Amino acid sequence: MRRGLFVGRFQPFHNGHLEAIRAVLGECEECVIAVGSSQKSHETDNLFTLGERIEMIYETLRAEGLAQRAIIVGIPDINNNSLWVAHLKALSPSFDAVYSNNALVKQLFAEAGIKVKPLKLVKREDYDGTAIRKSMGKTKEWEKHVPPKVKEFVARIDGVERLRQIAEGDKI
Ligand code: NAD
């Protein structure tokens, strides 16, 4: 296949996402990486901006020698699931199949007649966005579950301190 689409929020980009991209690139010449919920940031569940997530992904793929086979796009959410596939298609380069384990994403693409392929979950207990965000600010455990470039990037933008500040605000 020429191009596979991989959709995610990447809050943050972790080793499971990287393995998923490797799997897509094992079957496709190129991978379109659609960064969903692109309008969200500075929330405990959506800590990083679209630009920051693009940097994490791009720097990691460059370090892995995969950047030339990837195209990264941002997709804002819309308040209408039945129109989301058309919305995404308007904002993305064309693709031949979608790779996802997200139930809603799979359902919406399947209903639109687009081929959906599952991904093998890799070390899901560790490589999981929610678990990683929970660990940030408390321990350094999460650093083992993200690519080195993501760890460096989060340190550079003081991301853990951002999470602490936002979580503090949530208690008010
Ligand atoms: P995510 O970052 O949690 O996961 C991205 C993908 O990586 C998923 O397919 C997931 O199964 C896979 N993955 C995660 N951990 C893995 C591991 N350890 N090993 C292998 N694969 C792993 O993102 P998500 O929640 O799937 O993102 C879906 C995006 O689509 C969201 O931004 C959502 O808002 C958007 N969306 C929007 C609408 C709308 O706007 N109406 C509708 C549907 C979906």
Side-chain angles (χ1 to χ4, degrees), residues 11 15 35 68 75 92 108 123 125 134 149 156 168:
Q11 291 282 8
N15 291 338
V35 182
Q68 283 182 327
I75 311 289
S92 168
L108 295 177
K123 285 186 76 180
E125 61 292 352
K134 273 195 184 147
K149 291 289 177 190
R156 206 154 72 228
E168 190 61 29

Side-chain angles (χ1 to χ4, degrees), residues 47-48 131-143 154 158-165 167:
L47 193 56
F48 303 105
I132 288 170
R133 288 190 304 276
K134 273 195 184 147
S135 155
M136 283 172 115
K138 292 186 192 132
T139 70
K140 291 198 176 292
E141 189 63 21
W142 68 275
E143 294 180 351
V154 171
D158 219 355
V160 171
E161 184 54 26
R162 180 189 298 174
L163 179 62
R164 284 203 192 106
Q165 294 289 341

Side-chain angles (χ1 to χ4, degrees), residues 14 16 19-20 101-102 118-125 127:
H14 58 62
E19 289 312 312
N101 288 320
N102 177 306
L119 290 161
K120 188 166 148 266
L121 282 172
V122 183
K123 285 186 76 180
R124 182 62 167 165
E125 61 292 352
Y127 300 166

Side-chain angles (χ1 to χ4, degrees), residues 8-10 17 36-37 77-78 81 101-102 120 122 124 127:
R9 276 189 308 126
F10 310 118
H17 295 136
S37 308
D77 290 332
I78 56 168
N81 284 337
N101 288 320
N102 177 306
K120 188 166 148 266
V122 183
R124 182 62 167 165
Y127 300 166

Side-chain angles (χ1 to χ4, degrees), residues 10 13 18 21 33 35 50-73 147 149-150 153 156:
F10 310 118
F13 187 75
L18 178 57
I21 291 171
I33 301 161
V35 182
L50 170 64
E52 288 165 349
R53 287 177 277 164
I54 289 175
E55 283 199 59
M56 290 178 203
I57 298 167
Y58 179 68
E59 288 184 17
T60 298
L61 295 183
R62 209 171 47 172
E64 299 289 329
L66 299 172
Q68 283 182 327
R69 296 175 64 200
I71 305 167
I72 308 173
V73 293
K149 291 289 177 190
V150 172
F153 182 80
R156 206 154 72 228

